[in-house]
């Protein structure tokens, strides 16, 4: 359900909600602003939170920090949300200088990220990276496969093969295009424009996703994630609505089938990033919405 001014109202009408899964699941949270980091070392501080298919690694890096992956099983993304955080990237024989305020897709295999000036970075992996799964503070929430989410299946390989690809976030809004969306073979990131001041409570967007989670990464501002669980045939499994109030930085993982919408409340800047794994087919079908669709074919 979207307000008529919300561009997502252009999506194909959602089918009626599927019957609630035989087992419902809780939302998951990574409250980085108050939780202890999983790593606190020469590179800085890093927190890890996961969903069924994805891992968010949020780092406050020190100058000279180096983040390496050896034998990485699949692509991952690097989000640098601020302009004062340049990075030096390498993978195989490719070298790239990445400015701040940009997104990179890093290929499988060996790679290296160097942050000469430190700063805030977000790396987004799939849960195929077993070593990182073990570092997630909420690992117990996924001790078993969530039954309403199918196994992760990659989309087609990129045109020209796997390599480092860097995209500036400095993309001007365009009429008819929702947010700033990029996809890889295994995930999709949507970075809407930052909002100043609280959200208009008369124009919210309650909706649900039948078979995938939504990861909402709050980078700036105060947020409330409003969630309503469907009823199953077992009243013992019914749940009260949740209105989760979180500060930044934080991650909220919204379960499949749960009706949800988010509101922002700070008088200043409010910035949220939404992450999905695998990429969303409905967003991908909208002409012009996925900014690198010419490089990453849809199935």
């Amino acid at each position: 359900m979207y307000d008529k001014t919300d561009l997502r109202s252009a999506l194909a009408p959602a089918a009626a909600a599927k019957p609630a899964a035989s087992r419902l699941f809780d939302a998951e949270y990574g409250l980085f602003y108050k939780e202890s980091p999983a790593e606190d070392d020469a590179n800085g501080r890093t927190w890890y939170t996961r969903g069924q298919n994805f891992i968010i690694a949020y780092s406050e890096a020190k100058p000279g920090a180096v983040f390496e992956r050896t034998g990485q099983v699949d692509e991952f993304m690097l989000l640098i949300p601020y302009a004062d955080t340049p990075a030096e990237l390498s993978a195989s024989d490719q070298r790239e200088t990445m400015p701040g305020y940009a997104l990179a897709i890093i290929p499988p295999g060996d790679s290296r990220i160097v942050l000469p000036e430190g700063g805030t970075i977000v790396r987004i992996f799939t849960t195929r990276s077993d070593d990182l799964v073990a570092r997630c503070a909420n690992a117990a929430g996924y001790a078993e496969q969530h039954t309403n989410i199918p196994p992760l299946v990659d989309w087609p390989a990129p045109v020209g093969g796997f390599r480092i690809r860097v995209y500036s976030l400095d993309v001007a809004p365009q009429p008819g295009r929702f947010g700033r969306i990029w996809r890889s073979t295994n995930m999709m990131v949507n970075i809407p424009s930052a909002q100043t001041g609280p959200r208009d409570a008369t124009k919210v967007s309650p909706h649900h996703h039948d078979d995938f989670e939504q990861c909402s990464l709050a980078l700036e501002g105060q947020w409330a994630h409003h969630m309503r669980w469907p009823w199953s045939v077992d009243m013992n499994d019914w749940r009260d609505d949740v209105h989760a109030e979180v500060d930044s930085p934080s991650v909220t993982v919204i379960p499949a089938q749960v009706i949800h919408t988010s509101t922002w409340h700070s008088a200043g800047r409010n910035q949220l990033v939404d992450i999905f794994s695998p990429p969303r087919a409905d967003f991908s079908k909208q002409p012009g919405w996925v900014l690198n669709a010419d490089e990453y074919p849809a199935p």
Side-chain angles (χ1 to χ4, degrees), residues 80-277:
I80 301 184
Y82 304 113
D84 61 353
T85 311
E88 298 168 0
L89 312 181
S90 59
S92 187
D93 58 355
Q94 185 182 3
R95 304 289 184 273
E96 298 288 342
T97 299
M98 178 179 178
Y101 201 56
L103 175 80
I105 300 176
I106 312 296
D110 298 348
S111 61
R112 180 180 172 94
I113 300 167
V114 180
L115 301 168
E117 300 177 25
T120 296
I121 68 167
V122 182
R123 290 167 295 152
I124 310 167
F125 300 89
T126 72
T127 48
R128 294 173 178 143
S129 295
D130 293 336
D131 61 319
L132 302 182
V133 166
R135 301 179 198 178
C136 294
N138 66 326
Y142 295 89
E144 58 184 87
Q145 172 84 25
H146 286 200
T147 53
N148 51 4
I149 301 175
L152 175 61
V153 176
D154 285 351
W155 283 28
V159 175
F162 294 104
R163 60 181 175 85
I164 299 172
R165 300 168 190 265
V166 178
Y167 308 98
S168 171
L169 302 187
D170 189 11
V171 178
Q174 180 176 310
R177 192 188 70 226
F178 179 65
R180 291 168 289 176
I181 301 173
W182 290 271
R183 71 179 180 228
S184 67
T185 56
N186 51 29
M187 66 185 66
M188 173 179 280
V189 170
N190 178 31
I191 308 173
S193 298
Q195 301 293 324
T196 301
R199 185 174 188 176
D200 184 348
T202 68
K203 295 181 179 180
V204 295
S205 53
H207 61 284
H208 74 280
H209 312 299
D210 274 337
D211 57 3
F212 60 87
E213 296 171 313
Q214 177 170 315
C215 173
S216 290
L217 167 65
L219 292 174
E220 298 179 68
Q222 297 172 319
W223 294 80
H225 301 294
H226 310 279
M227 292 173 275
R228 172 167 291 178
W229 275 254
W231 289 353
S232 70
V233 296
D234 184 353
M235 289 184 66
N236 296 307
D237 206 19
W238 289 9
R239 305 179 184 213
D240 293 335
D241 292 351
V242 170
H243 305 277
E245 297 181 358
V246 300
D247 287 337
S248 300
S250 64
V251 161
T252 301
V253 182
I254 299 167
Q257 298 191 315
V258 171
I259 298 171
H260 60 278
T261 191
S262 297
T263 51
W264 51 88
H265 299 275
S266 296
R269 280 173 56 93
N270 300 273
Q271 178 68 70
L272 197 72
V273 175
D274 286 329
I275 296 134
F276 307 95
S277 180

